[in-house]
Amino acid sequence: MTKTALITGASRGLGAALAIALCDTHHIIAVAKTTGALEELDDRIQARGGQATLAPMNITNEAAMATLCRGIFDRWGNLDMWLHTAIHAAPLTPASHIDDKDFAKSMDGNVTATARLITFVAPLLGQSGQAVFFDDPRAGTQFFGSYGASKAAQIALARSWQAETTTTGPKVHILTPDPMPTATRARFYPGESKDGLAAPADQAAALLAQI
């Protein structure tokens, strides 16, 4: 039976690297907002002899995520892995200048969508599946108010789920990648030298080795 891996935020950076790393052994269900980037990922997966199902969707769209998860159930019956790399990176700003729309978008994408996805994906993972979240601890860091608060809340949700499923499954992992030259990091550190940053492909291999 074909193993399945759902990757939310699969079009670029770590998500795309994880998709490539897993495509030799899993059918990749790739979710992202950017259709063109997903198609490029699909080309890379096919070049390796793998297969992917592309889902150009926004994870904040409840109806779309419900339809996706129902489709996964109808086609495969379950999921073996869910790797959640999707993130909204709000602009850096002093806490006293946080924009309401940016903050709301951060909470919707990083917290509300994650909570909803857990409820949708948990039944697909069952007792034997694995869920993987990726921490980026910025809570309390200057100028990271929106991102730091929403990312911390996301990981708090994951930790609660992890504690609740210790004996029942699914297995919930919370991993912390090394800094990588991704679009998210470039938004926070424009002009930063990429020397010394970890390649996403190397990080994908190292992180998967921890599971």
Side-chain angles (χ1 to χ4, degrees), residues 18-188:
L18 288 165
I20 297 299
L22 286 167
C23 73
D24 294 339
T25 54
H26 292 70
H27 183 100
I28 304 299
I29 303 155
V31 179
K33 293 183 291 185
T34 310
T35 301
L38 282 177
E39 290 173 345
E40 291 174 9
L41 174 65
D42 189 37
D43 289 341
R44 295 170 63 194
I45 289 173
Q46 290 190 43
R48 292 177 63 96
Q51 292 186 325
T53 296
L54 307 183
M57 302 172 174
N58 191 324
I59 63 166
T60 64
N61 186 323
E62 180 177 2
M65 292 300 98
T67 299
L68 173 67
C69 290
R70 176 66 201 209
I72 291 170
F73 176 77
D74 289 343
R75 181 171 176 181
W76 291 286
N78 72 308
L79 268 176
D80 292 289
M81 296 184 73
W82 170 35
L83 302 101
H84 187 46
T85 66
I87 196 70
H88 175 68
L92 298 183
T93 182
S96 58
H97 291 72
I98 289 175
D99 179 78
D100 282 352
K101 290 183 179 179
D102 281 335
F103 190 76
K105 195 171 183 180
S106 297
M107 297 303 290
D108 191 28
N110 300 342
V111 186
T112 304
T114 300
R116 186 184 296 128
L117 279 167
I118 290 172
T119 67
F120 288 171
V121 175
L124 296 170
L125 293 174
Q127 295 181 329
S128 59
Q130 300 186 83
V132 190
F133 297 87
F134 301 93
D135 199 4
D136 183 17
R138 300 287 182 177
T141 302
Q142 61 180 356
F143 308 123
F144 277 87
S146 292
Y147 177 81
S150 59
K151 187 65 180 178
Q154 179 192 82
I155 296 303
L157 284 167
R159 291 197 187 284
S160 289
W161 191 25
Q162 183 182 56
E164 293 154 4
T165 57
T166 300
T167 58
T168 63
K171 181 70 174 179
V172 178
H173 307 270
I174 300 168
L175 308 177
T176 304
D178 293 335
M180 295 170 287
T182 61
T184 297
R185 186 172 179 86
R187 188 167 190 180
F188 295 148

Side-chain angles (χ1 to χ4, degrees), residues 2-24:
T2 302
K3 291 185 177 181
T4 51
L6 170 65
I7 303 178
T8 38
S11 60
R12 296 187 177 92
L14 181 60
L18 288 165
I20 297 299
L22 286 167
C23 73
D24 294 339

